Amino acid sequence: MPTATATPKAMIHQRYGAKAVYRVDEVREAVDGVCPGLALPQSTRCVYRCQLDIPGVLSVSTPGTFARKKDAEQAAAQIAIEKLGIQPTSNIPNTPEEAWKELIRRISRFFTEENFPTSYHPLVGHLSVTLRRTGDLLGKLPISAIVACDVKVHILCKIIDPKAEFDPLLVLSMIYNAAKQSLGVSVSSRNLWIQSQRPYSPEAVDLALQRWSGISDPIRVEAVLIPCVMEDEPKMVSLNISENEHYMGDIASKLSATDSSHVLVSRTVDKASPEMRFYFPAPDVQFVSDLSKQLVDDRGDRNMNCVINKRASYISGQTIYGDAVLANVGYTRRDTELQTDHVNLCTYYRILLRKLPDGIYKISKDSILVAELPCVYTRTSWKGPSPRDLLCSFCRLQRLSEPHFAANGVSASCNVLVGSEEMGSPKATAGNQCANDGRIAKENPDMFKCSVKIYSKKRELLLEYSTDYSWSKETDAIQNSALKVLIWFNRYFKQLNTPVEKFYLPKSTDGFTIYPNIFLQEFAMCLSVYGKTSGGDSRTCNAVGYFSMDTSYQQLESSAFLTDIDGQDSGVFPSHGSLACISYSVHLFMKDSRTRYLLEVNNEFEFEIGAGAVRNQLESCATQLSVNQSACFVDQLSDRDLSLAAAGELLLV
């Protein structure tokens, strides 16, 4: 099926983003009378006109009025598109052959159209740097700049060969081979430069240099180097971008690459930072036309793991080779200057944290070190993203298919009468269930169950969950089942060095069915990052173990030894099920040093006592204090990665 053309407003947003500002004015318009000759007061109606401002580009207004605000905005965007000469996105080709022809045409357009340097395509930002050079590198672009700037090139490559989605070397080879067949484009068989065979017009070059401003003063940008060797820790590096120098040049020196053309680029890592990518060195092969195949032929399948950067590959979802630099720098359609932002170790560890089952929940609560994924869902006390949204986000970040929820109505009966609002937890006793049978069945004749299935990207089933518990509302059934699956994944990730055979049972008594072959295949890269293999056995890992899914409340031990208790005892203590609100701060200090570093602070943090929503030590502390009292307790650093994710500016000291 052909892809529908984007709306005018969507096209403007794709190119200019937040720079495009719409101002809609409401006006009153007279309505002609329906009964001529009668002396009736003239009626009016509300209509709208719109003005679209793109600072530094243009400003347009709709000549007429519209009955709906949305129509006025779309009309203004359409006028802007016509004035800017923006062409609607063409339909995506249906076959690999059509995609290959389109890829050749697209590469050719970048280097043969005289007016291309006058466009707002981010590739012109890269081109403007090369046009300021002198000597042999004048006008030469790294092929990887096309990879970084043009989304449609990626789409075409995936249609030609689906493996291109995960293999940057394959994408680079496709662009190289397409460029060789493109008229007016010059590439070398020995390196990764690409250029136009004839110079652009002086007028187009002058406009490009005026629009895409160069660097007047050197720029220093912090980045993170992730070594290929797993035993080596990530570390901070500084990129120094000088006038008339392409920013990939300094990255090339950090990676010991020949030049900037030998620096390859991953897709974007974080949607919130559209230019955050991994940069890694191109492999040393004889011919550029088939980089991916040559690397396998040269190294052999067994030795490929020696050159794959598992941490960078896991984060990006692509195969990254050698050492990699995580940096936030590049050109966009939204601005005509080089966009830069610092990336530090905290950024890196937070990206890893987001990919964990409880990571987004911790970040949403602004409580990385204290908050835990609750074991109970109630609509009244749950704070933050819902369990369903958390599970969907987890599957997307792990590049799985969207989870499948199947909620079905069932007749109310004695052993399946639980509602999150009435009972608070599915661990109600059978006696209570039967006692409420008549009331619930009368008021809520239908109950709901929900099963969940998790599929791989290829739609292969890897986990399914079903429950005997039912809920009075469909949304409660969905949220509680989603939470159960999240808890399963969360405990799975936290098991240490347990052989796979002890965990992967054909059928779990807790309602889970696991399909081990598909599961291991999908999480192989994940396990290599979070796990610690033992003796080279890939079937023993940090993240696997048999565990019980019993999430019932367990009596807390008073394990937190409190010091510096301050405040008068009010006699009011939080009890199980109550909603507590606390303020806290977490400091890091060494045993042999008096210096303390602030890791995390939260002035208003709410959690339900007994729901497993915080670390046991802190809940133990809270239950020993009365309202308006404060205290301190000391705990060992249990998770280094969490501390690094929370550290923030501390890592820059």
Side-chain angles (χ1 to χ4, degrees):
M1 292 288 294
T3 303
T5 303
T7 64
K9 192 175 178 181
M11 294 169 63
I12 291 293
H13 178 76
Q14 183 182 22
R15 179 157 295 195
Y16 299 104
K19 289 181 64 176
V21 179
Y22 296 85
R23 190 177 74 244
V24 179
D25 297 322
E26 179 182 312
V27 295
R28 306 294 297 186
E29 185 179 79
V31 180
D32 294 336
V34 294
C35 299
L38 293 179
L40 296 176
Q42 191 175 37
S43 61
T44 61
R45 63 175 181 175
C46 289
V47 291
Y48 304 93
R49 62 167 59 100
C50 179
Q51 178 176 329
L52 169 59
D53 292 317
I54 307 176
V57 182
L58 88 168
S59 177
V60 296
S61 299
T62 54
T65 59
F66 299 84
R68 300 193 309 165
K69 292 182 180 180
K70 292 182 178 180
D71 293 339
E73 291 175 342
Q74 294 290 358
Q78 181 61 43
I79 295 171
I81 286 173
E82 292 172 357
K83 286 183 175 292
L84 293 170
I86 300 174
Q87 298 297 321
T89 304
S90 58
N91 292 333
I92 302 301
N94 293 319
T95 65
E97 292 76 15
E98 293 176 358
W100 179 249
K101 293 178 181 178
E102 177 62 26
L103 180 61
I104 294 174
R105 285 194 294 267
R106 192 162 186 82
I107 300 299
S108 179
R109 173 178 172 264
F110 292 151
F111 298 95
T112 59
E113 288 190 8
E114 290 189 0
N115 293 327
F116 177 69
T118 66
S119 71
Y120 284 89
H121 195 289
L123 187 61
V124 181
H126 294 264
L127 183 61
S128 64
V129 176
T130 70
L131 294 175
R132 290 185 172 93
R133 290 171 173 168
T134 58
D136 294 339
L137 294 181
L138 175 65
K140 287 186 177 181
L141 277 175
I143 296 179
S144 55
I146 300 175
V147 179
C149 293
D150 200 87
V151 175
K152 189 171 181 180
V153 165
H154 278 275
I155 296 173
L156 295 172
C157 290
K158 286 191 291 185
I159 296 173
I160 297 168
D161 189 340
K163 294 179 182 177
E165 181 177 2
F166 311 104
D167 190 350
L169 295 183
L170 182 57
V171 173
L172 199 72
S173 297
M174 288 183 183
I175 296 174
Y176 175 85
N177 291 327
K180 289 181 67 175
Q181 298 183 32
S182 300
L183 296 176
V185 180
S186 175
V187 291
S188 169
S189 61
R190 297 289 299 173
N191 56 41
L192 302 170
W193 295 110
I194 185 171
Q195 67 180 130
S196 174
Q197 288 182 346
R198 60 188 180 91
Y200 298 103
S201 66
E203 296 78 13
V205 171
D206 289 341
L207 183 56
L209 296 181
Q210 292 174 16
R211 181 176 293 166
W212 298 85
S213 56
I215 299 173
S216 56
D217 298 316
I219 299 176
R220 180 175 176 269
V221 183
E222 299 296 335
V224 176
L225 176 67
I226 295 95
C228 181
V229 179
M230 290 290 291
E231 289 73 20
D232 295 342
E233 296 290 340
K235 62 181 181 180
M236 298 281 295
V237 294
S238 294
L239 305 179
N240 298 294
I241 306 171
S242 303
E243 183 181 5
N244 296 340
E245 292 295 330
H246 196 270
Y247 68 84
M248 289 188 190
D250 199 49
I251 295 178
S253 66
K254 296 293 187 293
L255 296 172
S256 301
T258 306
D259 52 43
S260 59
S261 77
H262 286 78
V263 175
L264 306 188
V265 186
S266 77
R267 56 186 164 208
T268 55
V269 170
D270 188 1
K271 289 184 178 180
S273 304
E275 293 307 308
M276 188 184 297
R277 305 171 186 270
F278 284 108
Y279 297 83
F280 57 102
D284 185 15
V285 295
Q286 185 176 2
F287 299 104
V288 184
S289 58
D290 200 348
L291 282 170
S292 184
K293 182 178 182 299
Q294 278 195 70
L295 188 61
V296 176
D297 291 343
D298 293 346
R299 295 274 183 172
D301 290 330
R302 293 185 178 181
N303 294 326
M304 285 300 292
N305 285 333
C306 298
V307 296
I308 293 178
N309 191 317
K310 294 181 180 179
R311 288 173 289 201
S313 299
Y314 170 64
I315 291 174
S316 69
Q318 295 177 296
T319 305
I320 307 296
Y321 301 94
D323 295 342
V325 170
L326 178 63
N328 191 351
V329 56
Y331 295 96
T332 70
R333 294 180 183 271
R334 303 181 182 185
D335 209 320
T336 55
E337 295 182 351
L338 180 67
Q339 300 299 298
T340 63
D341 200 0
H342 295 303
V343 176
N344 55 34
L345 289 173
C346 176
T347 311
Y348 167 74
Y349 283 105
R350 286 199 177 209
I351 291 172
L352 281 177
L353 175 62
R354 283 177 57 86
K355 295 175 77 70
L356 293 176
D358 60 350
I360 292 179
Y361 180 80
K362 286 176 174 289
I363 293 173
S364 72
K365 299 279 287 184
D366 291 325
S367 180
I368 292 175
L369 298 176
V370 168
E372 297 288 350
L373 189 65
C375 60
V376 176
Y377 170 81
T378 56
R379 276 175 279 129
T380 54
S381 62
W382 185 275
K383 306 294 182 182
S386 68
R388 185 186 187 279
D389 291 342
L390 290 172
L391 182 59
C392 291
S393 297
F394 171 73
C395 290
R396 293 187 200 109
L397 289 169
Q398 294 294 337
R399 291 182 167 77
L400 304 173
S401 297
E402 290 288 308
H404 176 74
F405 298 92
N408 300 307
V410 295
S411 299
S413 60
C414 176
N415 62 340
V416 288
L417 294 174
V418 181
S420 65
E421 295 301 309
E422 293 89 348
M423 308 301 293
S425 167
K427 301 305 289 186
T429 63
N432 287 338
Q433 292 171 353
C434 292
N436 289 288
D437 183 36
R439 176 179 61 82
I440 296 178
K442 182 178 179 180
E443 297 176 0
N444 302 290
D446 291 324
M447 306 291 283
F448 295 92
K449 291 183 178 181
C450 180
S451 61
V452 183
K453 293 183 178 180
I454 306 296
Y455 293 91
S456 70
K457 191 71 173 177
K458 299 178 181 179
R459 299 295 301 173
E460 298 171 308
L461 185 62
L462 58 87
L463 178 148
E464 57 182 326
Y465 168 72
S466 60
T467 178
D468 291 332
Y469 294 111
S470 60
W471 308 84
S472 59
K473 296 183 182 297
E474 182 179 1
T475 182
D476 290 340
I478 293 173
Q479 299 295 355
N480 278 278
S481 293
L483 181 58
K484 281 284 188 178
V485 176
L486 272 174
I487 292 172
W488 187 95
F489 275 113
N490 200 36
R491 296 188 178 187
Y492 168 88
F493 272 74
K494 292 182 179 179
Q495 297 303 300
L496 301 175
N497 299 324
T498 303
V500 171
E501 291 80 359
K502 292 186 179 181
F503 173 75
Y504 286 114
L505 305 179
K507 180 72 176 180
S508 170
T509 57
D510 299 309
F512 286 89
T513 302
I514 316 300
Y515 299 88
N517 292 335
I518 304 300
F519 196 98
L520 281 175
Q521 178 181 327
E522 288 299 311
F523 284 91
M525 189 66 72
C526 168
L527 300 182
S528 68
V529 172
Y530 292 108
K532 296 182 184 296
T533 58
S534 176
D537 180 10
S538 62
R539 292 177 59 76
T540 303
C541 58
N542 179 320
V544 181
Y546 179 75
F547 48 81
S548 169
M549 284 300 297
D550 182 6
T551 57
S552 60
Y553 174 73
Q554 298 177 357
Q555 186 67 33
L556 286 173
E557 299 179 1
S558 299
S559 57
F561 179 73
L562 305 185
T563 61
D564 302 328
I565 298 178
D566 187 27
Q568 187 175 0
D569 185 353
S570 65
V572 181
F573 293 85
S575 59
H576 174 62
S578 62
L579 191 64
C581 182
I582 65 171
S583 62
Y584 71 85
S585 60
V586 182
H587 292 82
L588 173 69
F589 67 93
M590 307 300 179
K591 290 182 178 180
D592 302 328
S593 174
R594 294 184 178 181
T595 305
R596 300 196 308 173
Y597 301 95
L598 179 63
L599 293 182
E600 184 172 277
V601 61
N602 198 319
N603 293 321
E604 189 174 340
F605 180 75
E606 290 186 349
F607 66 97
E608 181 181 346
I609 300 292
V614 294
R615 295 185 60 171
N616 283 344
Q617 294 86 343
L618 187 137
E619 185 162 326
S620 170
C621 171
T623 54
Q624 295 179 60
L625 298 175
S626 64
V627 175
N628 294 327
Q629 281 190 314
S630 64
C632 298
F633 69 92
V634 178
D635 190 18
Q636 290 187 345
L637 186 65
S638 58
D639 192 320
R640 189 205 63 162
D641 288 4
L642 277 183
S643 299
L644 291 171
E649 297 301 322
L650 171 63
L651 294 176
L652 299 178
V653 178

